[in-house]
Amino acid sequence: MSRHSTETTFSQPLVVGIDWADSKHDLTVIDGDRRSHFRINSDTEDVAEMIDKLTSFADGRPIAVCLEKGRVRIIYHLMLHENITLYPVDPKQAARYRESFVSSGATDDQRDSYYLARMLDERRADLRPLKPDDPLTRKISLLCQTRRQLVDDKTGVIQQLHAVLKMFFPLLLALPGNRLDCGLKQEVMRRWPDPRKFQKTNRKTLEKLLGRHRCGNDEQIAELIEMIRSTKPVTTDGALIEPLMIRVRTLAEQLRTIDKGIETLETEIASAMKQHPDAKLFTSLPGAGAALAPRLLAALGSDRERWGDASELGSYSGILPVTRQSGKTKHVSRRRACPSYLKQTFHEFADAARKHCDWSGAYYNLQRAGGMAHHAAVRKLASRWQRILLSVWKHRTPYDDSRYTEIMKRKLPALVPYLP
């Protein structure tokens, strides 16, 4: 049950629209027939000042706030306030509503806050209020999101390193190890960022280096040393090499720091999962693993009434497609206006599940055999999994692979030929 359903008819909420920016924040307050606007400058006390103003306006009544979903900082500050109910809306949803008044596309912060307040005032019964998860679930959610951000940062650093190394040290890229974060390549970047010195390193040092990182038997190590010694340098120009060495050292150090941060986050996530009462529901899922199980737990949250059925979850998360129909024309396309991280969570889990679960792999292969592209087939599988996950989560009953395999055989006979 949403918070606003408990409001009495004698205590209508104060309706607020917030346009949150970096340097200033515009707020429009609608109180019955009255409308007021005020602006707060961005500083360390901006949130406290805003809450004080809203509390003063409300005079004991509940406060309903509409703002865009991307405003993470203000959402986290306001969502735990006892008297405030948040209604986060998708930026595209807010833009479309604004365009119904201003067709030119012109924007203004004060007017934007007014349109957010007006949309909430008119459509509050249709908008989904944000009900915060319990503290442990919120902690797992933020830990997982932070880990994902660091993984993305790491990918960016590795791409930069690739580009720099190709300019003066492609030999390092040819060493064993698929990625630049492997132990061998990291040690070479740290100890020998200059390719001229690395190629002149004495044989015993190279043997110890390659042996320490398990680069093969004696014969294979000898071949690697010969390759290192015989490779022709791309350049011997010190004017190019020496500045780029500094760049490589800096990026390599960033890579090590990010790796330590990811390791710390993974330890914190594992510790929090051990304490969470729903953890076993997700750790037992095929293909979930240490990374995806906590993300799935956070995706569903702790409020069992949040999702009425799988179609609500599928639409909100972007897994279900969008259907546009007019007359005899019907067009089905991928849903883009959705929380990307949430969509990635279900997509990545379905892709992992098809490799560890027989019916999932069979269902994916059935879609592919019908001409469906890889990502579309994974999204369709993810939609199936959302139904299962919702049932597992709502009834607190662990997933039973054999049971669901039999259900899929009965409901979809075409799946049987694709089962192992």
Side-chain angles (χ1 to χ4, degrees):
M1 184 180 292
S2 63
R3 292 186 193 178
H4 70 269
S5 63
T6 63
E7 293 159 6
T8 68
T9 56
F10 303 103
S11 181
Q12 289 300 315
L14 191 73
V15 176
V16 182
I18 301 179
D19 184 82
W20 195 262
D22 290 331
S23 59
K24 58 181 174 56
H25 319 307
D26 287 86
L27 287 83
T28 295
V29 178
I30 296 178
D31 187 4
D33 295 331
R34 291 181 297 172
R35 187 180 89 197
S36 55
H37 167 267
F38 62 94
R39 176 172 290 169
I40 298 175
N41 292 323
S42 178
D43 56 40
T44 56
E45 302 296 327
D46 54 359
V47 176
E49 181 185 348
M50 184 186 67
I51 292 175
D52 286 344
K53 280 183 178 289
L54 293 180
T55 303
S56 175
F57 275 123
D59 194 22
R61 289 175 296 156
I63 302 169
V65 176
C66 184
L67 71 175
E68 292 184 0
K69 287 177 181 175
R71 309 309 180 188
V72 177
R73 181 167 79 94
I74 185 60
I75 287 175
Y76 273 100
H77 279 295
L78 292 181
M79 72 179 186
L80 299 179
H81 198 280
E82 185 178 351
N83 204 38
I84 295 177
T85 302
L86 294 183
Y87 292 81
V89 297
D90 190 274
K92 183 178 284 189
Q93 185 180 4
R96 293 278 169 82
Y97 182 81
R98 182 174 64 243
E99 287 168 5
S100 66
F101 296 95
V102 186
S103 59
S104 66
T107 62
D108 173 80
D109 293 341
Q110 179 175 339
R111 296 290 293 174
D112 288 350
S113 69
Y114 163 68
Y115 291 131
L116 287 168
R118 180 165 174 172
M119 179 166 63
L120 179 58
D121 193 40
E122 293 175 357
R123 305 181 181 180
R124 191 158 57 90
D126 301 318
L127 297 176
R128 183 191 296 273
L130 175 66
K131 183 177 179 181
D133 289 317
D134 61 57
L136 186 55
T137 304
R138 293 203 313 274
K139 179 179 179 180
I140 290 172
S141 177
L142 280 172
L143 285 169
C144 290
Q145 289 182 52
T146 305
R147 180 190 176 278
R148 181 56 181 250
Q149 289 163 355
L150 284 186
V151 169
D152 290 343
D153 291 344
K154 177 178 176 177
T155 301
V157 171
I158 287 175
Q159 289 172 344
Q160 291 179 64
L161 271 171
H162 264 284
V164 175
L165 290 168
K166 281 180 180 179
M167 293 178 67
F168 81 110
F169 201 171
L171 172 60
L172 190 144
L173 300 174
L175 294 178
N178 293 327
R179 291 172 58 92
L180 284 171
D181 58 349
C182 72
L184 172 62
K185 292 180 178 179
Q186 283 204 12
E187 185 173 349
V188 173
M189 285 187 286
R190 189 172 66 252
R191 295 179 62 185
W192 299 283
D194 188 335
R196 298 168 298 184
K197 293 182 179 179
F198 178 61
Q199 288 190 283
K200 293 178 181 178
T201 303
N202 68 65
R203 189 178 187 85
K204 285 187 178 180
T205 302
L206 288 175
E207 285 175 350
K208 288 180 181 179
L209 172 71
L210 297 171
R212 185 163 57 251
H213 293 285
R214 299 179 182 179
C215 294
N217 54 34
D218 291 345
E219 184 179 343
Q220 291 169 324
I221 287 175
E223 290 175 0
L224 281 171
I225 293 174
E226 180 60 28
M227 184 270 289
I228 291 169
R229 292 280 175 79
S230 62
T231 298
K232 186 176 180 180
V234 172
T235 180
T236 56
D237 181 10
L240 174 69
I241 292 174
E242 287 163 22
L244 293 181
M245 282 169 50
I246 298 171
R247 179 78 169 140
V248 167
R249 278 202 185 105
T250 304
L251 290 171
E253 189 58 39
Q254 287 180 27
L255 199 57
R256 291 180 67 194
T257 303
I258 291 172
D259 277 336
K260 288 178 182 176
I262 292 172
E263 186 178 341
T264 301
L265 285 166
E266 288 173 347
T267 301
E268 289 291 324
I269 290 169
S271 174
M273 285 291 283
K274 287 179 181 178
Q275 302 171 45
H276 202 288
D278 289 340
K280 288 184 180 179
L281 299 177
F282 299 94
T283 53
S284 61
L285 295 169
L292 283 170
R295 285 176 61 183
L296 289 169
L297 184 152
L300 291 174
S302 58
D303 177 16
R304 253 63 181 190
E305 303 303 317
R306 178 172 295 162
W307 311 110
D309 55 32
S311 64
E312 283 188 20
L313 175 59
S315 298
Y316 180 79
S317 63
I319 291 299
L320 287 181
V322 178
T323 302
R324 298 177 179 87
Q325 190 164 356
S326 177
K328 295 182 179 180
T329 304
K330 183 178 180 181
H331 179 68
V332 179
S333 62
R334 197 171 85 188
R335 193 178 295 267
R336 298 184 184 277
C338 59
S340 59
Y341 178 72
L342 186 63
K343 184 177 182 179
Q344 287 170 356
T345 296
F346 289 112
H347 192 286
E348 289 172 16
F349 167 65
D351 198 33
R354 72 181 177 87
K355 302 167 188 174
H356 295 85
C357 170
D358 289 345
W359 76 258
S360 293
Y363 187 83
Y364 168 83
N365 291 329
L366 174 63
Q367 307 310 315
R368 294 286 279 148
M372 195 171 283
H374 166 71
H375 289 296
V378 171
R379 285 194 297 274
K380 193 154 187 178
L381 175 60
S383 179
R384 287 273 177 175
W385 267 109
Q386 284 184 331
R387 298 180 201 175
I388 296 169
L389 291 170
L390 210 58
S391 176
V392 164
W393 174 66
K394 276 183 176 281
H395 299 100
R396 293 182 169 91
T397 305
Y399 169 76
D400 183 344
D401 190 67
S402 59
R403 177 190 167 207
Y404 281 102
T405 300
E406 291 305 315
I407 291 174
M408 290 297 292
K409 283 181 182 178
R410 188 171 65 252
K411 289 187 174 181
L412 192 63
L415 187 76
V416 175
Y418 293 92
L419 287 167

